[in-house]
Amino acid sequence: MIHEGPSGVNLNIGGYPFEGPFNETKDLKNAPGLYAVHIQQDEEYTLVDLGQAADVQASVRGHSRQDCWLRHSKGGLISFSAYYTPDLPAEVRAQMEGLIREELNPPCGLG
C-alpha cells in the first residue's frame, strides 16, 4: 500500500511506513533498518525481498540475492524502500524481518 508521508511517498509494509520507493541504492541511507525490494509495474509495487541490516545501503548494493530480484522483475523496475531503526538492536530488527516475511512471503528467500 502506498501513502503520502511527511517526506513524500511511503510504502506500508507489514504495518511499518517504509521510506521510498527509490530507484537507486544511493537514495538509501547508511543506517540500520529493514529494507524491501519491489518490482514496480505502472503504479503497482510487488514485494520480492525483505531483509534487515546494520547498513541498509551497503547491504542492498552488495546483496547476494540480486539475481533473484532480476528473475522476478519481468520487465518491471526494481525499486527499494527502507524502514530505519537506529535505536533498535539487531535482534529486534531480525524479529521484525521474520514476522513480515511470514506474513507477506516474498519470493526471494533468506540466504
Side-chain angles (χ1 to χ4, degrees):
M1 167 182 271
I2 302 172
H3 68 277
E4 286 290 321
S7 60
V9 175
N10 288 323
L11 294 173
N12 183 327
I13 302 171
Y16 298 97
F18 279 60
E19 293 179 25
F22 303 109
N23 295 330
E24 297 185 35
T25 58
K26 70 178 178 91
D27 295 321
L28 297 168
K29 296 176 185 174
N30 297 107
L34 286 95
Y35 60 85
V37 181
H38 319 272
I39 305 302
Q40 177 188 356
Q41 293 185 315
D42 301 318
E43 295 300 314
E44 295 291 317
Y45 293 87
T46 302
L47 180 70
V48 295
D49 203 357
L50 182 101
Q52 64 87 21
D55 182 332
V56 167
Q57 185 187 80
S59 182
V60 172
R61 279 190 173 165
H63 210 289
S64 63
R65 292 192 298 264
Q66 289 181 7
D67 286 345
C68 185
W69 306 345
L70 288 171
R71 281 195 310 275
H72 284 85
S73 67
K74 299 178 184 168
L77 179 65
I78 297 173
S79 61
F80 312 97
S81 62
Y83 179 68
Y84 298 106
T85 58
D87 298 325
L88 296 180
E91 299 81 27
V92 174
R93 286 196 313 269
Q95 289 173 345
M96 293 167 69
E97 174 192 13
L99 291 172
I100 296 170
R101 279 186 162 281
E102 185 176 309
E103 176 186 348
L104 302 177
N105 195 27
C108 294
L110 296 171

